[in-house]
Every structure is written in C-alpha cells, then in structure tokens.
Amino acid sequence: MKRFIRPVRSLLLAALLVGTAGIAAQTRWVTAQEIGGQAAPAQQIGEGPNRAALVVSFGNGIVQSRCVAFPEASITGQDLLLRSGLGPVTSPEGAVCALDGQGCPPDDCFCACPFPDCEYWAYYHWQGDAWSYSNVGAFGQKITDGSLEGWSWGQGDFTQAEPPPVIAYEDICPAAAPATATPTATPTQQVVVIQRPVVTFQAGAATLAAGQCTALSWQTQGAVTVLLDGSPVSQLGSQQVCPPATQRYTLIAANSAGQSVAYVDVQVSAPATATPTAVVTAVATAAATSAILPPPTRLTTAAPVVPPAPQPQPGSIQPLPTIFSPPTVMPAAPVAAPVPELVGGVPLAPTAQPAAVVVAAPFPTPTRFVLAPLPTETPRPRRQLGADGRATPTPILPAAGSGSGSAEAGAGPASSAAAPGALSAADRMAQERAFDPDLLPGYAAYALALAFLAGLGWFVMHRKNGHRSSAARRRARAADRPPDGLRELHNDQAGQLS
Amino acid sequence: MTTEETFHPSAWLAWLAAAVLPALSTRNPLYLSLVMISVAITYGALGRRNPTARSWSAFVRFGAFLWLLTIPFVTLTSHHGTIVLFRLPASWPIIGGPITLEAFLYGLTGGFALITLLLIFATFNVAVDQARLLRLTPGFLYQMGVVAGIAVAFVPTMVATWQSIRDAQQVRGHKVRGIRDMLPLIMPLLVTALERAMQLAESMEARGFGGQVLVATPRQRLAHQLALLAGLGLLGLGLAVNGFLPGMRLAGTLQLGGGMALMAWAFWDVGRRSKRTRYHRWPWTRLDRVVLLLGLSGALGWAAIMIAQPQWLHYYPYAPYSPWPVFNPLAGGILLLLALPGALLRQPYEESEVATPA
C-alpha cells in the first residue's frame, strides 16, 4: 500500500492545484439550500432579455404554457423545465420521467410504457410551422431567445408520439410582456383546471358458484396511473378472476388532481351442504334489519352516509373504511330469490359516492388497503411506494392548491396556479427531501446495532489475543521445565535422601 | 484447515447467501455498513488460517482504492440533482456544470456495495477450502466446478507468485521506476502460470479425470437438449409476460415455473450420470448446524423482506426521493446474524502449544 502513496499523492496535489485555480477564477459558490437546480445568478429567475415559450400537454386535455425569461444566451431544455417551475424528474441518463408530478419515478422512467401501450414524455421543438419530434434529450437541446418548446404525455414509440397543441409563441410570450421586478418572480403561466379521472368498473357476473370465474372490465378517462387491488394495470382492460369466496375488488385511477376509487363485489355462493343461514341484502331503507346480520351502515340512495375516513398518517397505508360490520354467522344458504345486481359500471363523478349496491357478505369481507392520498398541508419527506416497491408517480403528490381529501372522496378539482400560501412544486419537493424526525428511531436502532457489533468485535479480538497470550505462557513454562533425563536424576536423588 | 478450525462448507455457503443478498439488493449505506462490519468481524476471527488470505486482503485494498476513485468520478461527471454544492464552468469538458450532493451520495453508495461484495468473497475464500468446496458441486456441473475451483485458486496463487518474483528481482538489484521496468516481472509470472496449468492438466489426466461419466445415448442427449431449450423458452416467455402484460401475471408465473421445472429435470438427469464417491465425509457438528441455520435464516429473511417490504431497502438520493436513508430494525437485526459465525469459531491449537507429556 505504501508503494501507491507517493504517485497517488502527487496526482492528488496536481489536481488540487489546477482545480483550485480554476474554481477561484470562475466559480460561484452556492449554498446547500439551493433547490431545483436553479442557480442564483445576479438576475432573478424569470428576468432577462431572452425568452422562451414552453407548452406542456398532460394527455387528458389539460395543457399548460409558460414563458420563461433568462439572461444567458442559451440554456438547456432541462434548465427551461426547471425554471418554469414544473419540477421535472429526470433519470440518471437524462430522460424526463415526470413533470408536475405526472409521470414515472426516476428509477423506472418508462413505467407507463409496457407493450403495446407506451406512454411517456415526448419532446418537441417548433420548427417553421409545425412541431418537430426532438432527436435529443432535454440536456442536449440548446434554448435561445424566441424558442418554442413542447412536452406531451401520450402514446407513441421512440420515433413519434402525440405532439402538443399548436399555440403561437406570441400568445405565450407577448411582445409587451414586462419583466417582473420581484425578487422571486415566477414565469407567466396559464391556469388550467385539472379534473380527477372518470372511472367505469364492472364485473361480468356479480354472483358466482364456487369454482366459477368472471371477468372484471374497466375504463378510465384522464388517468395517469390505474391500480387494481394494488397492481398497476392499463387504463382500459379486463381481467379474469376466480374468487374462492366473496371478494371486493378495488380500482384506483389517479392523476395530478387526485384519485377516483371504484369497487366491485363478487359474491360466491357457498355449497348446498352449508348450514342454512339467511343472507341479508342491503336495502335502500335504513330501517331494514336482519335477524342475523347487523343492518348496513350506509345507504345507497339519497345522501350516502360514509363513515368518516381516518386521518391518514403521512406515509402510512390506510385500510378502507369498512362499510358493513362483519357478520356473526359464517355460512349462508343458497339464495332462493334472485339477488339484485351488484355493482354495475357506474361512472364516478368527482364528488359523488359510488352508487353501487353492496351486499352483506356471508363471509367477512377482507379489508382492502389502499394508499391514502396525503393532504397537501403536511407534505411527506419521501414519496410513498406502492405494493411493488416502486413509487406511485402521481396520486401521492397531488397538485398544488388541491384541498385535503379523504380516503374515499379524494381531493377536489386542483388548480395548477400557485394559490396564496400554497407551496410551489420546487418548495414542496424541498420540504419532502428534508430530514424527517420520524427517521430518528431507526437511526437509534442503527446506533444500537453498531454498539452490538463493536462489543462482538471486541470479544472476538480479545478472545484471539487472550488465546495467544495463554499460548505464550504455556511455551514459557515448557521452556523452563528441565529435560526428562535430569528430572529422573532429581527424582532418584530425592528418593535416596528420603 | 481442519474441522475444528472452521465450519462445514455448506454452512458457509448459507452464510454467503445471507451476506451477498443484502449487498446486491440495496444501496442503503446503513445496511451496507452493517454487512461490512459483520463480515469484517468474521474475517478477523478467521485470521490468517489460509495461505491465500493475504492475497485476498490485497484485493480488498484494491477494491477500497477503486471505491475512493469512484466517488470523485461520479460526483464530477454526473450533473444531476437538486442540491448543488458548487458549480464548475460549463465550458469545462465532462466535469463542467453543477456538482450536486446527490451525485456524491450515489457514487459513495455504489462503491460501498462493491467493496462489501469483495470483502464477503474474501472472507468466504478464507473460511472454506477450495477442494472441499469443489466436492459440493452438483454432478451436472462437475466440469464447471473444476474450472471454477482452479480459477479461484489461480488468482491468489498468482499474486503470491508475483510477490516472490518481485522479491527475487529486488535481491538482484532490480528497481521498478516505470512501466518499462515491469517487463522482467510480468514475463516470469506468465511463464510460471502456464507451467502450473500444464502440471495441473497432466495430474488430472493421470488421475482419470472425466472417466467416471456415463455416456448418454443420442435419444437421451436429444431429450436433454429439448428440455433445456423448452425450459429457457418458457423462462423468457414468462419474464416477458410478467414485464409487459401485468394483467396476466398468473400465466407468466406458471410459465416461469414450468421452465424452471424442465431445466431442473434436465440438470438432474445429466448430473446422475456423473458417478462420484466420497470416502471422507465432512462430519456435521452442532456448531455447523447452528451456522447453517443462521445463514438460512438470514437469507430467507432478507428474501422475504425483498418480496414483502421492498420499500425498506430502497435508497435513491435523487429527487423526488430523500437523500436521508431509512433504517428498519428488523432488517438490521437480520444483518447482525452475519457476525455470529465469527463469535462461534473455535480457536485452533498450534503444534507448539501442545504440552509434551512428562
């Protein structure tokens, strides 16, 4: 090891001298609190003689446009996104994974690109009189004064995709737009209201005999992420299920405005040898009671009464509020009368409760867990991960300005405009990445583990060293002992003397 | 090494699985540090029992050097991240641009995993004799096992030969001042390595290596090839279905299982044609079973965490994730099991320590 020290030391010294000279000459030191990768130049963000227009299409009819001013002669496409306040998330390779919370995590940048449907953020430049698909990424594109750049979330492949809508540069960056003088000036933007997705979820057959199967089919509009019982699925599809017992299936469709939840209950009738017990069917009247099962706690007509959803802890996975109490008697007799149709394909309005008829199950309905959307007032230190360990891209990071939501209703219509007092995308991300006191118990456990290993290491090394010292003592005693011949002579002399 | 100095090779294999899984599955520096310390304790307890241990420590030092080299490389070349420490002029090639904390942490954790793996394999190589490990190779892989055993023994032996050649050249007054002076060291090394390889081949030939394998009929060979081909095809199809068609996971899983079953049958049928006898079996002691249990518990526990709670292991310093790592006590407790074999090792008695009878 010593042989490497001299040349390595020389190299390090040379590199240090060169680097120090260069840094001292031209580098500005920025504090560690800088966020968003935005430099703190002498001019403020959004000021400067050069301007570029940005059009972002989120794929559900929602379009945002920004006019960003910059002092440099040119900036990269990535800088343009950062300065626009859209909070771009990029992969280590430089691909744009998400904009304003819509998209994919950086470690799986093309998570919405399974065969054959591929959705991703496509990059366009305005050239001449039309959008031109970009052959370079955001880092490789140079933006100059008068550039019109576009990003579009939609289906496509790696040579073409859905271009953003045509908007003139002058409509985004008017010629007479004054430069803002506030220290924290934000680029001009158009406000677009984002709606939560519309969901249609239904089962082919609501009642099955034991061992039978049925197909679940769903259709969503405006959704970025669709989960069926926690597993990601496409926005439009179907799935064959064969439930062994009465089971509830949950479909969650989410976008930057929030999420919509739909349920389908598939009832599986028990075999004929089961103990006959009346099956209670939920009726529209609240006074309906059953001799066996408690009355349902929610009506399906008029004003649906939903148990108040528990306030979700940041980062926790909340169980869905149970609609019915668990039945006290397990088996159920075959239903003689035709059971009313269970949940049909009822499209959910953003503020309406599911209008499905839920039948009291003869068996306890397993509790379903769903990722609770987090209120915007208490941003989390890190993004919550889904069942497969990946970060769910959209619903956990609702758009700025959205109201607090419950587990069922979700957030209200979101506004992309920064409401007074609300955090911008960059500030919210900064808060989420700051140190969270919830990590302290884990760090205390880590310290205990280190202490245990330190004690164990001391024991192991002490035992080895103690063994060596005892071996050294044995060798010393063996060296002091006289040879065998002399010992016999001593014994003979001792015997003669006695 | 004798049976009193170490544990059964199968027990060490279980320990290896329990140590390698965390190093390969996470970049969380807290978990990796626990793995490294636990493995280091075991390495310290094993001591210098194996003549090749010194060679492996050189590899670990080389790995540490690479790690220290990786950190500035990633920090200066990756300009991604939101927490900017300082900026270099953009006109500078490669290193020009913002230098971020996330890039520094990414380089730090990446090299950390690498050196942890090196230390794990160094400890395993010190603990287990290559000859005994070779005898555990399945029948259908006996040729690959021999090659692997030779390769594992070749590298440390080459390092030892390098040391002896360099010592001999230094005695003759040879000094290494540049690359040109390395030639008198490299040529003897190559010649020695080739001679050793020839000697090994001749000794294996003289002992009838490969003669104990029963020849399969053409029909049996065709069945093996078809089974392997179909198994690989089903494995690929299952992976594609699980990856691109999330709604058909059950079908994909069945395909994966069918592919693995076909390949397992093919391997088993090929393996039973390789007749081997074991005249000296390594006896299982109580401590061997304890270490085996610890290793299997650690490996299965970590695998369960990977499947059930993968978010415990996730660490990614770039946005939108937090640069602060998470530590779960259960996962950390599993990693502490890696240090227990070091505490259970019995200390060997040297020949000079045995007292001569009166």
Side-chain angles (χ1 to χ4, degrees):
Chain A
M1 189 65 184
K2 290 182 181 178
R3 291 185 286 270
F4 292 107
I5 290 179
R6 185 180 299 174
V8 170
R9 190 171 57 188
S10 306
L11 281 174
L12 286 177
L13 188 60
L16 187 63
L17 287 173
V18 172
T20 304
I23 292 171
Q26 298 192 33
T27 305
R28 292 179 294 105
W29 286 89
V30 182
T31 64
Q33 298 303 319
E34 201 173 55
I35 295 172
Q38 302 169 352
Q43 299 83 358
Q44 298 298 326
I45 298 173
E47 291 182 356
N50 306 308
R51 294 185 302 172
L54 181 64
V55 178
V56 180
S57 170
F58 289 87
N60 52 2
I62 307 303
V63 178
Q64 294 189 27
S65 58
R66 307 281 170 99
C67 184
V68 180
F70 50 94
E72 300 93 336
S74 68
I75 59 175
T76 64
Q78 174 72 2
D79 285 336
L80 181 66
L81 290 173
L82 288 170
R83 300 182 191 195
S84 67
L86 287 171
V89 175
T90 57
S91 69
E93 294 81 18
V96 174
C97 309
L99 288 176
D100 199 15
Q102 175 170 336
C104 294
D107 59 340
D108 188 11
C109 200
F110 296 96
C111 66
C113 196
F115 179 82
D117 301 321
C118 183
E119 290 184 317
Y120 68 104
W121 280 108
Y123 189 20
Y124 284 86
H125 316 296
W126 185 264
Q127 293 180 352
D129 56 354
W131 287 111
S132 172
Y133 187 83
S134 177
N135 292 320
V136 297
F139 284 95
Q141 182 67 19
K142 292 296 181 186
I143 311 298
T144 56
D145 183 29
S147 297
L148 177 58
E149 304 293 308
W151 288 89
S152 173
W153 177 266
Q155 291 192 1
D157 53 31
F158 295 107
T159 61
Q160 60 180 2
E162 296 180 15
V166 176
I167 303 177
Y169 174 87
E170 290 72 22
D171 295 337
I172 303 173
C173 295
T180 55
T182 58
T184 56
T186 57
T188 58
Q189 60 189 31
Q190 294 184 359
V191 176
V192 183
V193 175
I194 303 174
Q195 300 287 343
R196 287 187 302 144
V198 177
V199 177
T200 302
F201 188 32
Q202 59 189 359
T207 306
L208 302 174
Q212 284 187 343
C213 301
T214 185
L216 302 177
S217 59
W218 61 90
Q219 184 177 1
T220 63
Q221 295 179 7
V224 174
T225 303
V226 182
L227 299 175
L228 176 61
D229 285 347
S231 300
V233 294
S234 58
Q235 296 185 4
L236 167 68
S238 65
Q239 180 174 326
Q240 193 80 2
V241 294
C242 305
T246 299
Q247 189 166 338
R248 165 170 286 188
Y249 296 92
T250 306
L251 186 77
I252 303 173
N255 60 10
S256 59
Q259 60 187 30
S260 300
V261 186
Y263 308 97
V264 162
D265 285 325
V266 178
Q267 185 181 16
V268 177
S269 58
T273 56
T275 305
T277 308
V279 175
V280 178
T281 302
V283 296
T285 58
T289 58
S290 165
I292 298 176
L293 296 173
T297 58
R298 185 167 71 96
L299 302 177
T300 59
T301 60
V305 178
V306 179
Q311 185 67 23
Q313 296 296 326
S316 64
I317 297 178
Q318 297 295 322
L320 293 176
T322 54
I323 305 301
F324 295 96
S325 304
T328 56
V329 180
M330 294 292 294
V335 179
V339 179
E341 191 70 15
L342 288 179
V343 178
V346 180
L348 296 176
T351 56
Q353 297 299 325
V357 175
V358 184
V359 176
F363 299 96
T365 303
T367 304
R368 294 287 173 192
F369 290 89
V370 82
L371 298 173
L374 303 168
T376 54
E377 290 80 7
T378 57
R380 298 192 59 238
R382 56 174 42 78
R383 177 165 289 183
Q384 189 174 2
L385 298 179
D388 58 352
R390 297 178 181 170
T392 53
T394 301
I396 308 304
L397 194 66
S402 60
S404 60
S406 65
E408 289 272 351
S415 168
S416 63
L423 298 171
S424 66
D427 293 338
R428 185 170 62 247
M429 181 180 293
Q431 281 197 6
E432 291 184 350
R433 303 186 73 222
F435 180 75
D436 183 15
D438 292 342
L439 297 175
L440 286 176
Y443 288 175
Y446 175 71
L448 282 176
L450 283 180
F452 171 78
L453 288 177
L456 188 64
W458 178 86
F459 167 75
V460 168
M461 300 312 294
H462 177 76
R463 183 180 64 175
K464 190 164 73 170
N465 292 336
H467 173 77
R468 283 181 183 164
S469 63
S470 64
R473 283 197 295 272
R474 279 198 290 272
R475 278 196 295 269
R477 281 199 298 271
D480 291 341
R481 202 182 313 152
D484 293 347
L486 279 178
R487 198 178 303 122
E488 290 177 357
L489 179 62
H490 288 165
N491 290 339
D492 290 343
Q493 290 176 351
Q496 289 174 2
L497 288 174
S498 64
Chain B
M1 277 188 285
T2 62
T3 57
E4 291 80 17
E5 295 175 347
T6 184
F7 303 115
H8 197 282
S10 299
W12 281 115
L13 278 174
W15 177 89
L16 178 67
V20 165
L21 264 182
L24 291 177
S25 61
T26 181
R27 296 174 74 102
N28 191 317
L30 301 181
Y31 295 137
L32 289 177
S33 62
L34 287 185
V35 173
M36 179 179 281
I37 296 173
S38 302
V39 172
I41 290 175
T42 306
Y43 184 87
L46 287 168
R48 302 297 177 91
R49 300 162 187 253
N50 195 318
T52 59
R54 189 178 176 184
S55 310
W56 278 103
S57 67
F59 268 96
V60 175
R61 287 197 296 269
F62 180 68
F65 173 73
L66 281 182
W67 178 34
L68 294 177
L69 205 62
T70 304
I71 296 173
F73 178 79
V74 175
T75 305
L76 293 176
T77 58
S78 171
H79 304 290
H80 302 275
T82 59
I83 304 175
V84 179
L85 299 176
F86 59 92
R87 289 183 181 271
L88 296 178
S91 57
W92 290 10
I94 301 176
I95 63 174
I99 307 300
T100 62
L101 176 66
E102 289 93 333
F104 173 77
L105 291 175
Y106 193 81
L108 185 73
T109 55
F112 205 170
L114 175 65
I115 191 173
T116 303
L117 279 172
L118 276 178
L119 186 60
I120 290 171
F121 280 98
T123 305
F124 179 75
N125 197 55
V126 170
V128 179
D129 187 36
Q130 285 88 8
R132 291 194 170 94
L133 189 64
L134 186 61
R135 291 165 67 177
L136 295 179
T137 308
F140 70 93
L141 287 177
Y142 78 98
Q143 291 164 326
M144 200 180 299
V146 171
V147 171
I150 293 171
V152 169
F154 175 77
V155 174
T157 308
M158 184 181 69
V159 175
T161 306
W162 169 270
Q163 295 286 348
S164 60
I165 292 173
R166 188 156 184 190
D167 293 340
Q169 296 287 14
Q170 281 182 345
V171 168
R172 293 177 177 84
H174 179 265
K175 291 184 181 178
V176 179
R177 287 179 288 260
I179 298 179
R180 196 180 299 180
D181 296 329
M182 300 288 281
L183 198 61
L185 301 176
I186 295 178
M187 288 307 298
L189 182 67
L190 286 177
V191 170
T192 308
L194 286 173
E195 284 179 357
R196 189 174 288 117
M198 292 296 296
Q199 290 172 2
L200 181 63
E202 289 171 359
S203 63
M204 290 167 64
E205 189 76 24
R207 288 168 175 77
F209 176 75
Q212 67 277 21
V213 180
L214 299 177
V215 179
T217 62
R219 189 174 180 180
Q220 290 169 337
R221 281 201 300 270
L222 181 63
H224 297 153
Q225 291 164 358
L226 288 176
L228 284 174
L229 190 63
L232 286 173
L234 279 177
L235 277 179
L237 189 62
L239 288 172
V241 167
N242 279 341
F244 295 109
L245 300 174
M248 298 177 62
R249 283 237 170 102
L250 178 61
T253 305
L254 287 176
Q255 288 161 2
L256 284 173
M260 290 171 66
L262 274 175
M263 293 181 69
W265 173 83
F267 291 147
W268 171 80
D269 198 54
V270 171
R272 68 191 180 95
R273 300 185 182 285
S274 173
K275 301 297 181 184
R276 295 185 296 176
T277 57
R278 293 182 177 86
Y279 65 92
H280 184 218
R281 292 180 179 272
W282 189 302
W284 279 90
T285 64
R286 184 183 303 177
L287 286 180
D288 294 337
R289 294 191 184 92
V290 170
V291 172
L292 178 67
L293 189 63
L294 289 175
L296 288 177
S297 303
L300 292 175
W302 197 265
I305 290 177
M306 287 170 63
I307 296 171
Q309 302 287 347
Q311 64 272 17
W312 291 358
L313 312 180
H314 184 266
Y315 177 71
Y316 193 71
Y318 291 95
Y321 302 102
S322 171
W324 296 96
V326 180
F327 184 81
N328 184 276
L330 179 60
I334 291 175
L335 297 178
L336 296 180
L337 298 177
L338 297 174
L340 295 182
L344 295 175
L345 274 169
R346 280 188 295 265
Q347 295 300 319
Y349 288 100
E350 298 174 4
E351 289 182 359
S352 60
E353 297 168 5
V354 177
T356 55

